[in-house]
Amino acid sequence: MANIQVDERLRHIAFIMDGNGRWAKKRGMPREYGHSVGAKTFERVVRHCGDIGIRVVTVYAFSTENWRRPQHEVQAIMTIFAEFLGRAQKQAEEYNIHTVFLGDKSIFPPEIRARMEALERDTAHHPLTLNIAINYGGRDEIVHAVNTLIAQGKTEITEDDITANLYTAHCPPPDLIVRTGSEMRLSNFLLWQAAYAEFYFCDTLWPDMDDAAVDAAVEAFYARKRRFGGV
Ligand code: IPE
Ligand code: IPE
Ligand code: MG
C-alpha cells in the first residue's frame, strides 16, 4: 500500500518511459524484450500513481519519430500495444482508469483504431485519467491544433485556443515530467504543456522503475519551489 499521498499541487505526472532497449541489452536480450517488460512496468506505475492520489498520468509510449526504428522493433512495439489493448478494458474497470490516447490515430489500422476509441469511450466515467501518447509528437500536436482552428475559420488565435485544441484539452498541464534512462531532453514530448512543468531525470532504466523510484520523483517535486514567473 502507498505510504505517500499527493495533494492538488501534483495533479498530473507525465513519464518519458526511456531505457527499454538498454535494459534488455544489459541482459544480453533483444531490445524487444525490454519493451515487453517495460509494458508491465507501465501498468504497475500507473496503478501506483493512482494509489498515491494522482489524478492524471501521461506516458510517452511511441513518438512520431520512433517509426524510424528498424521494422522488427516497430512491429514488436505495435504487437505489445495490441496485447495491451486486449486487457486494458478489464484493467480500467479494476483500477478506475479512463484511458485517452494522445497523438494522431489515423496511422493505425482501422481495427486497432476502433479498439482505441472504444476504450476511450467505455472508460470515460473513471476518475483516474491515463493519457497514452502513441504516434505522438509535440510539434505535430500544435500543428494539428492550429489546423483545426483554421478549419473553424479563425484568422487570429489565442493561447487558450491552442490549449483547448491540443490532444490534452481534457486535463491540466503536467506538474511533473519524469524521464528515466539518463537522457536530459524532451524528445518532442508535451512541448506546449511543459511550459511550467517541473522536470525530474533519473538513471533508472524504464523496466526498473518501481514504486520507490516513483516516490523519489514525487518527493523531489515537493522539494521544488514553483514560481510561475512570480517572486
Ligand atoms: C523507450 O525505450 C521506449 C520507446 C521509445 C518506444 P527505448 O527503446 O528508447 O530504449 P533505449 O533508450 O534505446 O534504451
Ligand atoms: C522518447 O524516447 C520517446 C519515448 C519514450 C516514447 P527516445 O528513445 O525515442 O528518444 P531519443 O531518441 O533518445 O531522443
Ligand atoms: Mg530511448
Side-chain angles (χ1 to χ4, degrees), residues 117-136:
E117 285 166 355
L119 185 63
E120 292 182 320
R121 200 178 49 240
D122 297 345
T123 63
H125 57 291
H126 290 306
L128 169 60
T129 300
L130 166 62
N131 297 315
I132 301 179
I134 186 156
N135 189 34
Y136 173 89

Side-chain angles (χ1 to χ4, degrees), residues 1-225:
M1 218 18 233
N3 50 2
I4 60 167
Q5 281 292 316
V6 302
D7 56 19
E8 71 291 341
R9 283 175 288 177
L10 183 44
R11 294 179 298 177
H12 182 174
I13 188 167
F15 294 94
I16 301 175
M17 307 188 288
D18 199 19
N20 291 348
R22 281 165 283 164
W23 184 90
K25 207 167 167 212
K26 263 173 57 182
R27 285 162 178 75
M29 298 292 282
R31 295 175 54 82
E32 287 81 353
Y33 177 64
H35 296 311
S36 316
V37 177
K40 298 207 177 69
T41 300
F42 142 72
E43 290 168 30
R44 216 183 44 241
V45 165
V46 172
R47 287 203 283 278
H48 182 64
C49 288
D51 285 345
I52 64 173
I54 293 168
R55 313 304 303 172
V56 184
V57 181
T58 299
V59 294
Y60 202 7
F62 196 84
S63 73
T64 46
E65 289 73 45
N66 286 146
W67 299 104
R68 293 179 190 154
R69 295 184 178 204
Q71 221 222 308
H72 61 88
E73 181 172 344
V74 170
Q75 193 46 56
I77 293 169
M78 292 305 148
T79 300
I80 291 164
F81 178 54
E83 287 166 357
F84 163 77
L85 285 174
R87 58 182 182 270
Q89 186 81 48
K90 191 165 167 284
Q91 284 187 359
E93 290 305 325
E94 198 170 342
Y95 301 105
N96 300 314
I97 298 168
H98 173 210
T99 306
V100 179
F101 295 98
L102 313 182
D104 180 1
K105 290 192 194 80
S106 68
I107 203 157
F108 295 104
E111 200 255 334
I112 293 289
R113 191 177 170 171
R115 284 162 71 189
M116 292 164 79
E117 285 166 355
L119 185 63
E120 292 182 320
R121 200 178 49 240
D122 297 345
T123 63
H125 57 291
H126 290 306
L128 169 60
T129 300
L130 166 62
N131 297 315
I132 301 179
I134 186 156
N135 189 34
Y136 173 89
R139 289 183 170 183
D140 176 69
E141 181 183 36
I142 294 167
V143 169
H144 173 264
V146 172
N147 280 326
T148 303
L149 291 160
I150 290 170
Q152 289 166 5
K154 296 244 185 199
T155 52
E156 200 176 317
I157 57 174
T158 64
E159 290 189 9
D160 286 345
D161 287 331
I162 292 186
T163 301
N165 284 280
L166 297 175
Y167 297 122
T168 52
H170 58 287
C171 63
D175 299 298
L176 172 62
I177 297 178
V178 174
R179 182 171 185 147
T180 59
S182 311
E183 310 291 2
M184 297 193 196
R185 54 178 172 254
L186 275 178
S187 303
N188 206 10
F189 188 50
L190 301 180
L191 297 182
W192 179 275
Q193 300 89 330
Y196 271 102
E198 296 296 326
F199 292 93
Y200 180 85
F201 298 99
C202 61
D203 295 330
T204 307
L205 300 171
W206 178 258
D208 289 330
M209 192 71 179
D210 58 11
D211 294 357
V214 173
D215 292 350
V218 168
E219 274 159 30
F221 171 83
Y222 276 100
R224 307 274 177 89
K225 189 153 171 32

